[in-house]
Amino acid sequence: MEYIIGENGNITVGIKEDNKLMEENPHIVSEGGYGIYNKAGTFGFYDGKIEASIKAVYDTVTEIEEGATLNYDDEEKVVNLTKEPKPLVKIGEKTYTNLQDAIDSCGNEETNIKLIRNAYYTKNDTTNNIGSEKNIIFDLNGYTFNSAILNQTINNNGALEIIDSSEGKNGMMIVTEGITIFNSKGATLKISTGILENRTDKVICNEGNLQIDGGVIKGTKNGLIYCVYNTGNVNMTNGTLIAKEEKGGSIESYGIYNCDNGTVEFNGGIITSEHYYGGKSYGIYNNGSKEIVINRGTIDITEPTFYGN
């Protein structure tokens, strides 16, 4: 059983901004499930330690004490707060404790940044910005990048490719606040492998050039779902887009929502869109001034496959 359950509400453990970080107190132990079960609510974790037989925290920690770091064990069954951050990513053999420091260290040559453990970003953290001169390959490496960063987790103004070099190809970005990746005008984003899941907002907001050659882009928000919200250029050759609220409640779901002067070419892959409770589902929705080009691929939805020109 869950020790503390919160759904669409607020959970607080510890005292915020009391200038004393207690790593062991309060101590929450659940022997039959989750320590904290937080579904679509907020969870402020400011002091203490949480242990559980399945997972210390489901779904996410929203906010932590300023200057602290979430410290999980390898199985995510135990979590506490510490002021000593662990290495998170590496470039070659050099490690960094946060993604932004690694990005800032890069020049204009193509650089691989590899995730080396599960990441846990909260709303305390700020957007990871990629400058226009950067050329980044972000390798999820079989790990999960959890984020509750407000606005967007990554703001790309340069060139960014998402890959997963692990054998299982199960590396993920799971975002519970804000947009997963905002791809600015003139920027290039390529999704090759890996899983991008957003539970609260758009997965990708594209104003630049978006190339989808693989991976999974998944929107599971309870409400309006956009896998890709596009005003730029999208070319999809492979991979899967899934717009589906898994427990019901989505009003409208869009695999690709195209507007303004956006262009879309669908040259392969799978788009799945599903809604509940009388909503609407669209594989590709064109609300823009340009025609959509569909050459091949599969679109599987519960309502019209295509809307627009």
Side-chain angles (χ1 to χ4, degrees), residues 178-181 196-206 217-230 241-245 250-259 272-274 280 282-283 285 287:
I179 297 165
T180 303
I181 301 175
L196 307 183
E197 180 178 348
N198 193 299
R199 299 174 180 173
T200 188
D201 209 318
K202 305 171 184 72
V203 187
I204 296 174
C205 186
N206 179 57
I217 299 172
K218 185 177 182 180
T220 57
K221 179 185 177 181
N222 187 354
L224 287 171
I225 297 173
Y226 302 94
C227 290
V228 176
Y229 187 95
N230 180 58
L241 307 186
I242 303 171
K244 179 181 179 181
E245 209 290 320
S250 65
I251 300 170
E252 294 179 358
S253 57
Y254 301 90
I256 299 173
Y257 184 96
N258 186 64
C259 57
T272 300
S273 183
E274 187 173 335
K280 297 181 181 296
Y282 302 93
Y285 187 102
N287 195 29

Side-chain angles (χ1 to χ4, degrees), residues 132-152:
S132 59
E133 77 287 0
K134 306 290 186 182
N135 187 352
I136 305 295
I137 298 173
F138 184 35
D139 183 0
L140 298 172
N141 192 29
Y143 292 99
T144 299
F145 191 102
N146 301 279
S147 173
I149 296 174
L150 302 177
N151 298 319
Q152 58 258 169

Side-chain angles (χ1 to χ4, degrees), residues 84-290:
E84 300 296 328
K86 297 178 180 179
L88 178 67
V89 295
K90 69 177 183 178
I91 299 174
E93 296 304 315
K94 183 173 175 57
T95 61
Y96 300 84
T97 59
N98 66 77
L99 179 58
Q100 188 65 64
D101 285 350
I103 293 169
D104 292 344
S105 75
C106 298
N108 57 11
E109 70 281 358
E110 184 178 275
T111 306
N112 186 299
I113 299 177
K114 181 175 287 190
L115 196 61
I116 57 176
R117 65 173 175 87
N118 291 337
Y120 307 94
Y121 279 72
T122 71
K123 73 176 185 180
N124 298 65
D125 297 299
T126 56
T127 297
N128 296 280
N129 288 294
I130 299 174
S132 59
E133 77 287 0
K134 306 290 186 182
N135 187 352
I136 305 295
I137 298 173
F138 184 35
D139 183 0
L140 298 172
N141 192 29
Y143 292 99
T144 299
F145 191 102
N146 301 279
S147 173
I149 296 174
L150 302 177
N151 298 319
Q152 58 258 169
T153 292
I154 296 177
N155 179 31
N156 179 42
N157 294 286
L160 171 64
E161 181 179 3
I162 304 295
I163 69 170
D164 179 11
S165 64
S166 70
E167 183 176 352
K169 296 292 185 288
N170 56 352
M172 304 180 68
M173 291 184 69
I174 297 178
V175 172
T176 55
E177 289 286 345
I179 297 165
T180 303
I181 301 175
F182 184 90
N183 195 48
S184 300
K185 188 174 182 178
T188 300
L189 172 62
K190 182 178 181 180
I191 309 299
S192 296
T193 49
I195 302 166
L196 307 183
E197 180 178 348
N198 193 299
R199 299 174 180 173
T200 188
D201 209 318
K202 305 171 184 72
V203 187
I204 296 174
C205 186
N206 179 57
E207 294 183 351
N209 301 298
L210 171 61
Q211 182 74 32
I212 304 171
D213 291 336
V216 177
I217 299 172
K218 185 177 182 180
T220 57
K221 179 185 177 181
N222 187 354
L224 287 171
I225 297 173
Y226 302 94
C227 290
V228 176
Y229 187 95
N230 180 58
T231 59
N233 306 303
V234 175
N235 181 33
M236 183 173 177
T237 64
N238 207 341
T240 303
L241 307 186
I242 303 171
K244 179 181 179 181
E245 209 290 320
E246 294 183 339
K247 289 190 176 181
S250 65
I251 300 170
E252 294 179 358
S253 57
Y254 301 90
I256 299 173
Y257 184 96
N258 186 64
C259 57
D260 297 339
N261 291 316
T263 67
V264 176
E265 286 194 31
F266 185 46
N267 293 306
I270 300 170
I271 299 176
T272 300
S273 183
E274 187 173 335
H275 73 270
Y276 299 84
Y277 305 140
K280 297 181 181 296
S281 296
Y282 302 93
I284 301 173
Y285 187 102
N286 188 22
N287 195 29
S289 60
K290 304 290 182 67

Side-chain angles (χ1 to χ4, degrees), residues 30-52:
S30 174
E31 297 180 353
Y34 302 98
I36 302 287
Y37 188 93
N38 175 39
K39 182 66 174 177
T42 62
F43 172 31
F45 185 29
Y46 307 113
D47 296 291
K49 182 177 183 179
I50 303 169
E51 297 183 65

